[in-house]
Amino acid sequence: MRKVHLDDLMGLPSYERVCDQYRQEIIEYKKNRRLPIGDRISLVFENRKTMTFQIQEMIRTERITDLDKIKEEVDVYNSLIPNPSELSATLLIEIVDQTKIREELLKFLGIDEAVYLKIGEQHTIRATFEEGRSKEDKISAVQYVRFPLSPEAKKAFIEGRGEIAVFIDHPHYKAQGKIWEEMRQSLAQDLLE
């Protein structure tokens, strides 16, 4: 999948004129890219389109006009765009009780060993997590994950062979989220780019 380039971005004044409409379009687009996995975790599958929006929003929110700073943002968000033959997602651990965030998050230590994508009966792919977001005594509520697919798994996903789901098999959290057909089609487009 092609990465975001500076030429792909709108300048701050131009973006501010269209940001509300653009945000609505992305919200609609993400409806088929957000996968709840049980009641505490969800995945938002990322691609060039979602990351372009994130960059534009960061530039607008932070009022970034320095070209070098914009390039830094582009580099950071480009690292989250899936490479060929993989799916990329932001994993969100959702803690409702704000007074127990640290305590609740610590229960998810080791989650980086427990997330899988299953395609039919033939393919089970363990997620790879971005390093540095989990330590012995600390874990981030936002994790970045990738599912590297073999050529056979990629073909099975694109063709929709069998049930496709993401499951978590963690001592403190066991759940799965089934990928529905519209979501599979949206994600298959990522694999075809």
Side-chain angles (χ1 to χ4, degrees):
M1 179 173 292
R2 192 167 75 82
K3 303 294 185 183
V4 178
H5 298 283
L6 285 176
D7 299 356
D8 300 323
L9 301 173
M10 289 179 253
L12 190 53
S14 297
Y15 182 67
E16 287 195 320
R17 285 193 293 275
V18 299
C19 67
D20 290 338
Q21 177 187 342
Y22 189 36
R23 186 178 306 111
Q24 283 308 116
E25 289 171 11
I26 291 296
I27 288 168
E28 190 62 32
Y29 179 70
K30 283 187 174 183
K31 285 182 181 176
N32 282 322
R33 300 186 71 83
R34 184 180 192 96
L35 178 67
I37 305 170
D39 61 347
R40 306 283 297 280
I41 292 180
S42 61
L43 284 179
V44 178
F45 287 93
E46 307 291 6
N47 64 10
R48 186 174 180 283
K49 185 173 186 169
T50 64
M51 290 296 99
T52 301
F53 171 72
Q54 290 296 107
I55 295 166
Q56 290 284 184
E57 281 294 295
M58 186 60 71
I59 291 169
R60 185 184 69 81
T61 303
E62 300 291 326
R63 313 303 295 168
I64 302 170
T65 56
D66 180 86
L67 192 57
D68 288 334
K69 298 275 190 217
I70 293 171
K71 286 179 183 174
E72 286 176 22
E73 293 299 326
V74 169
D75 290 344
V76 166
Y77 285 102
N78 268 339
S79 70
L80 303 176
I81 292 176
N83 294 314
S85 297
E86 76 177 9
L87 296 172
S88 175
T90 303
L91 182 146
L92 306 162
I93 302 171
E94 299 160 4
I95 310 294
V96 178
D97 186 348
Q98 298 297 306
T99 63
K100 296 183 179 180
I101 288 178
R102 180 167 162 61
E103 174 187 335
E104 289 297 311
L105 276 176
L106 287 176
K107 292 178 183 175
F108 289 94
L109 281 172
I111 196 161
D112 55 337
E113 304 284 330
V115 179
Y116 300 86
L117 171 67
K118 187 168 183 177
I119 306 166
E121 295 301 317
Q122 283 71 41
H123 307 283
T124 302
I125 299 98
R126 189 166 128 201
T128 59
F129 280 64
E130 179 185 53
E131 292 184 20
R133 298 212 161 254
S134 180
K135 297 179 182 167
E136 289 177 17
D137 62 343
K138 189 174 160 185
I139 183 171
S140 173
V142 178
Q143 303 279 331
Y144 300 106
V145 302
R146 294 177 184 276
F147 297 98
L149 305 179
S150 68
E152 298 81 19
K154 177 180 174 178
K155 187 172 192 227
F157 191 100
I158 290 168
E159 293 175 358
R161 284 194 240 138
E163 183 177 275
I164 302 173
V166 175
F167 68 94
I168 299 172
D169 187 16
H170 184 274
H172 300 290
Y173 195 84
K174 295 184 185 312
Q176 80 168 357
K178 292 181 183 174
I179 292 178
W180 57 92
E181 182 56 19
E182 291 84 359
M183 177 179 274
R184 186 199 64 77
Q185 289 175 15
S186 181
L187 300 179
Q189 287 304 308
D190 294 352
L191 294 171
L192 292 169
E193 287 187 25

